[in-house]
Each structure stands twice: as structure tokens, then as C-alpha cells.
Amino acid sequence: MLGMCDLQHLMVFSLEAQRFALPLDAVERIVRAVEVTYLPGAPEIVLGVVNIQGRVVCVVNLRKRFGLPERGPELTDQLIIARSAQRSVALLVDSVEVVERGVQTGLPLDRLMSELDGVRKIIRRDEELIFICDLDRLLAPGSATPAQGAAA
């Protein structure tokens, strides 16, 4: 069993006022947002593709995925280049930071509501709640957004 002194590093990112996170070991790098090239016929949550050092990477629209309001790109936007078990993707976010937390902290989401695909746990940091994402579940085909999950 892990002790409370064991730490896990997280890449915390913001979308609107919401805070989400990925385990730091799933993140390849953070880059400033660049122009996204439209990809005809892509799934609804794919904004398009970007060229990152000669590699073409899909850009995922997390706002649409989580049912948040859409907005145009801003100069301060960031791309998190992350890897799932099957592929690398770029996640367009408002801002990012690295934080440490005790491994045992956090509440599995299925205890609260199981229909929010893509989120594994919720942790509390100071006075805010952070949703810990499961990148593989987040990118799974057919995953419902919160609004879609509630309507089903």
C-alpha cells in the first residue's frame, strides 16, 4: 500500500473555469497553440490537425467533449501533446501547470456518477475541484459528452 508521502505529478489544465488534469507521464510536451488545419470527415470532437516538428497530430476539442461553451482561439491558448495507449493527440486548453498530490487523495468518479466518460477521479486542491482525465477513455469512439450522457 502506498503511503501518504508518495506523490504523483499532474499536468493541470483549464477550460473556462473548470480544472482538469492528466498524469504527467502521459504528457509529451506543451506548445503554444498554432493554426489548426481542418480535417474533412473527422469526428465531431476533432478540431483538425497540426504539424509538431514534422509529425501530424490530431487536435481534440475538449470544450465540445465536456459540453463547455465554444470560443475562438486566443493568443494564450496552449496545446498539450499527450499520448494514449494507441496514439498521440493535441489537446487545446486555456492554460496549464504542473502540480504534485498525494497518491491516495482523490475520489473515484464512479462513486459520484458513472456516466461522465473520460474522467477517472476528482481531487480537491485547496478550494477547487480537479477532474483527473483518463486519456484512453476520453478519446474512445462513441464516448458521450456530459450533456449527451444525461439525456440518454
Side-chain angles (χ1 to χ4, degrees):
M1 182 148 227
L2 297 170
M4 284 303 290
C5 63
D6 295 325
L7 295 176
Q8 178 182 25
H9 291 86
L10 298 170
M11 177 63 61
V12 176
F13 58 92
S14 298
L15 293 168
E16 297 296 322
Q18 298 290 321
R19 306 277 282 167
F20 300 89
L22 289 171
L24 190 58
D25 60 2
V27 176
E28 292 179 16
R29 68 177 54 182
I30 308 299
V31 297
R32 286 186 187 189
V34 295
E35 185 175 350
V36 176
T37 302
Y38 173 72
L39 188 61
E44 191 175 64
I45 67 164
V46 174
L47 284 171
V49 294
V50 292
N51 181 346
I52 303 294
Q53 294 184 327
R55 187 172 56 149
V56 176
V57 180
C58 282
V59 179
V60 175
N61 183 348
L62 290 179
R63 290 175 181 282
K64 185 168 290 292
R65 178 68 178 81
F66 288 123
L68 297 171
E70 295 288 328
R71 70 161 174 78
E74 295 184 4
L75 292 175
T76 57
D77 288 349
Q78 303 282 312
L79 288 172
I80 299 173
I81 311 302
R83 62 189 169 286
S84 71
Q86 299 180 6
R87 62 186 167 269
S88 291
V89 295
L91 307 173
L92 184 62
V93 300
D94 299 348
S95 63
V96 296
E97 68 175 297
V98 176
V99 300
E100 293 180 338
R101 72 172 181 94
V103 173
Q104 290 183 335
T105 62
L107 177 64
L109 189 63
D110 58 357
R111 291 186 185 172
L112 299 176
M113 53 194 240
S114 61
E115 65 270 3
L116 186 56
D117 287 334
V119 175
R120 180 175 57 214
K121 289 183 180 181
I122 298 175
I123 62 169
R124 183 181 171 136
R125 180 172 169 241
D126 299 324
E127 295 300 315
E128 67 182 355
L129 295 177
I130 300 173
F131 298 92
I132 308 297
C133 296
D134 179 322
L135 194 56
D136 291 311
R137 286 177 51 192
L138 186 70
L139 300 174
S143 295
T145 61
Q148 292 168 333

